[in-house]
Amino acid sequence: MSTERTLNGTRLLASVPEERIAVLDGLCRWRSFEQDDVILNLDDDSSDIYFIAHGEVRVTVFSQTGRTVIMRDFKTGDHFGEFAAVDGEPRSASIIALNRTVVAQMPAPTFMGLVAEFPEISLAMMRAMTGAIRSLNERVVEFSTLGVRNRIHAELLRLARSGRVVDGTGRISPPPTHAEIASRISTHREAVTRELKQLENQELLERTRGAFVIKDLAELERMVEDARAGRSE
């Protein structure tokens, strides 16, 4: 669809005037991907930055044994690939399309020229990178200090907070598969299945058509904080 092929709505470029966006649209290479297509591979030596005009992608790392580690997801209006655009180093992760996705592939020199011209982009990028570092720090602490069941709780809490929250109830939609949750926290699917069932028995989790519903976010948060403080079972 032609309406998808524009950088309008890209959060990182919100400070760029519309007439300049129209010029940039023509400088990008527009690419379409279907579900499960690989957009970028780990250690790829390209340096372009990508803007998602439509769709969702997943940042993953594959171990030498073939195990998948899910780092995070990006959606319409987000960007990825800025690390390589800035430092010229190989890609630090693989990017997979989660559904039909349209991206604008902008050459690194074009992007760096924009950064120099519009300081607001630099600030927005620093905020995004700072957020990514904080998130990674939080995960490192969890891997070092929490058991598997508590890491599952922490991941559900993150997913719920990033979704729809109403009156202390969080909705995760679409619901991740048990294998996806396992890949996010470095465990196996069976452990996730057992713990989700336990949360259902405790009436903290409800499965509906198309969603996981966390019925008491405050209680789940308390459980995670107790585990971090060493007060869990």
Side-chain angles (χ1 to χ4, degrees):
M1 294 174 60
S2 60
T3 54
E4 295 174 341
R5 297 179 180 266
T6 178
L7 293 167
N8 276 323
T10 301
R11 282 176 278 278
L12 185 63
L13 305 181
S15 61
V16 180
E18 286 191 17
E19 59 271 18
R20 186 63 178 280
I21 289 290
V23 175
L24 292 170
D25 287 344
L27 297 177
C28 293
R29 179 187 178 192
W30 291 89
R31 303 177 64 190
S32 298
F33 297 90
E34 298 300 325
Q35 183 176 348
D36 296 328
D37 283 351
V38 178
I39 301 174
L40 279 175
N41 275 309
L42 174 69
D43 292 330
D44 188 290
D45 61 2
S46 63
S47 60
D48 296 340
I49 185 171
Y50 292 74
F51 300 93
I52 306 173
H54 174 80
E56 296 176 282
V57 305
R58 174 159 290 164
V59 184
T60 60
V61 176
F62 300 98
S63 71
Q64 292 183 347
T65 60
R67 187 171 187 173
T68 301
V69 178
I70 298 174
M71 305 299 290
R72 63 180 304 181
D73 296 340
F74 290 116
K75 58 187 178 181
T76 300
D78 289 336
H79 65 279
F80 59 89
E82 71 273 25
F83 290 5
V86 171
D87 64 15
E89 294 295 320
R91 303 293 182 176
S92 57
S94 296
I95 309 293
I96 312 294
L98 291 178
N99 46 41
R100 182 176 180 271
T101 299
V102 177
V103 299
Q105 183 177 340
M106 182 183 291
T110 301
F111 176 67
M112 295 309 295
L114 274 178
V115 170
E117 184 178 356
F118 297 95
E120 297 90 344
I121 297 177
S122 296
L123 182 58
M125 191 162 61
M126 284 191 290
R127 285 172 174 161
M129 288 183 173
T130 301
I133 292 170
R134 288 183 184 277
S135 178
L136 287 173
N137 285 347
E138 184 177 73
R139 287 173 176 269
V140 168
V141 171
E142 288 174 3
F143 282 126
S144 301
T145 62
L146 300 186
V148 169
R149 67 186 300 265
N150 301 123
R151 296 207 305 273
I152 294 171
H153 299 166
E155 186 61 29
L156 289 173
L157 190 60
R158 260 191 298 272
L159 292 172
R161 284 171 172 168
S162 66
R164 184 183 177 189
V165 177
V166 178
D167 296 331
T169 298
R171 182 180 176 86
I172 305 171
S173 180
T177 66
H178 295 187
E180 287 173 349
I181 296 174
S183 295
R184 289 177 181 273
I185 63 168
S186 189
T187 188
H188 51 85
R189 180 179 55 81
E190 292 78 10
V192 174
T193 300
R194 287 195 299 270
E195 188 55 35
L196 293 184
K197 185 62 178 178
Q198 180 65 24
L199 291 173
E200 284 187 279
N201 292 339
Q202 294 175 291
E203 298 186 347
L204 281 175
L205 172 70
E206 180 182 353
R207 304 178 202 230
T208 66
R209 185 173 182 178
F212 286 164
V213 178
I214 307 299
K215 300 172 71 174
D216 190 341
L217 281 176
E219 176 60 16
L220 186 62
E221 183 174 4
R222 184 197 63 77
M223 292 165 64
V224 172
E225 290 304 316
D226 281 353
R228 287 173 175 161
R231 295 191 295 268
S232 61
E233 296 177 5

